[in-house]
């Protein structure tokens, strides 16, 4: 919901290293991480941030506009599956950066959807927050054991906690497992 400073630095570093042109975020909430992502994107980069909650979307749009990055961020109300046609109609057919920060039980399903739909380009980077707490064990096992990904786990703390541990994963998509 809000990545915080420590985990935010991990997200910032991943964006700076990979310089994505087209990024998607699942889980906009109020737009904090969308602003972080937009500030790290190259000048021609664009973020499509999705959230099914209308209140979150409206609030995030206002905050993103106030932060001065609305030219780099488009907030879409919906889930990945319901929003795919919206960004395909805008000419987006490949994504090279994904930030997962929504319902942890959907991480693996949404990642597999990105792969099967052809949206995830080879070399794309997927950053997932809250992998340990509240936890996405199916996702964590999948990216750790799949031949389609090279993954790193970053042990950190839950945002604004000094003791509760969490994991942020950074996974590079190597292409289909059967390739």
């Amino acid at each position: 919901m809000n990545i915080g400073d420590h985990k935010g630095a991990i997200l910032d570093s991943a964006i700076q290293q990979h310089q994505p042109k087209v990024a998607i975020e699942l889980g906009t909430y109020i737009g904090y991480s969308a602003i972080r992502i937009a500030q790290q994107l190259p000048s021609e980069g664009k973020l499509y941030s999705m959230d099914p909650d209308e209140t979150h979307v409206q609030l995030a749009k206002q905050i993103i506009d106030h932060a001065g990055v609305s030219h780099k961020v488009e907030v879409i109300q919906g889930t990945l599956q319901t929003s795919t046609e919206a960004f395909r109609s805008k000419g987006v057919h490949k994504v090279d950066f994904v930030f997962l920060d929504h319902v942890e039980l959907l991480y693996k399903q949404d990642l597999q959807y990105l792969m099967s739909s052809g949206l995830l380009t080879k070399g794309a980077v997927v950053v997932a927050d809250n992998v340990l707490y509240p936890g996405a064990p199916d996702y964590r096992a999948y990216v750790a054991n799949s031949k389609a990904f090279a993954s790193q786990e970053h042990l950190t703390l839950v945002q604004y906690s000094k003791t509760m541990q969490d994991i942020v994963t950074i996974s590079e998509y190597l292409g289909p497992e059967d390739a």
Side-chain angles (χ1 to χ4, degrees):
M1 299 208 28
N2 186 343
I3 195 163
D5 290 335
H6 295 290
K7 293 194 275 181
I10 296 168
L11 176 63
D12 293 351
S13 177
I15 297 165
Q16 291 165 1
Q17 286 179 340
H18 297 283
Q19 293 293 291
K21 304 290 187 279
V22 180
I24 62 170
E25 173 187 34
L26 302 180
T28 308
Y29 189 46
I30 62 169
Y32 175 82
S33 53
I35 293 166
R36 281 193 87 112
I37 293 168
Q39 290 172 335
Q40 301 303 321
L41 288 173
S43 59
E44 69 279 9
K46 181 81 173 183
L47 170 67
Y48 297 88
S49 183
M50 289 160 257
D51 198 297
D53 186 288
E54 181 180 1
T55 302
H56 292 170
V57 167
Q58 295 308 316
L59 184 57
K61 285 180 178 180
Q62 292 174 10
I63 292 170
I64 289 164
D65 185 52
H66 182 73
V69 294
S70 58
H71 63 288
K72 287 186 145 189
V73 180
E74 183 169 339
V75 181
I76 300 169
Q77 183 179 348
T79 64
L80 175 63
Q81 289 80 1
T82 62
S83 302
T84 301
E85 287 309 310
F87 50 84
R88 281 198 168 145
S89 70
K90 298 172 188 306
V92 177
H93 300 287
K94 295 287 184 184
V95 172
D96 53 5
F97 189 88
V98 178
F99 180 50
L100 302 174
D101 192 20
H102 61 313
V103 179
E104 289 80 10
L105 293 174
L106 298 177
Y107 283 16
K108 180 182 173 189
Q109 169 188 316
D110 285 341
L111 179 64
Q112 290 175 324
Y113 177 81
L114 285 166
M115 294 164 57
S116 67
S117 68
L119 283 168
L120 199 62
T121 189
K122 186 176 178 180
V125 173
V126 181
V127 176
D129 189 16
N130 305 318
V131 174
L132 183 61
Y133 180 83
D138 291 345
Y139 173 85
R140 183 180 182 193
Y142 180 73
V143 295
N145 298 311
S146 171
K147 293 178 183 171
F149 292 93
S151 296
Q152 299 174 355
E153 291 189 349
H154 297 266
L155 185 62
T156 185
L157 298 173
V158 171
Q159 54 272 25
Y160 313 112
S161 169
K162 294 183 180 180
T163 59
M164 191 175 300
Q165 292 187 329
D166 195 6
I167 291 174
V168 173
T169 59
I170 300 177
S171 305
E172 181 180 351
Y173 182 52
L174 305 175
E177 286 187 87
D178 56 359

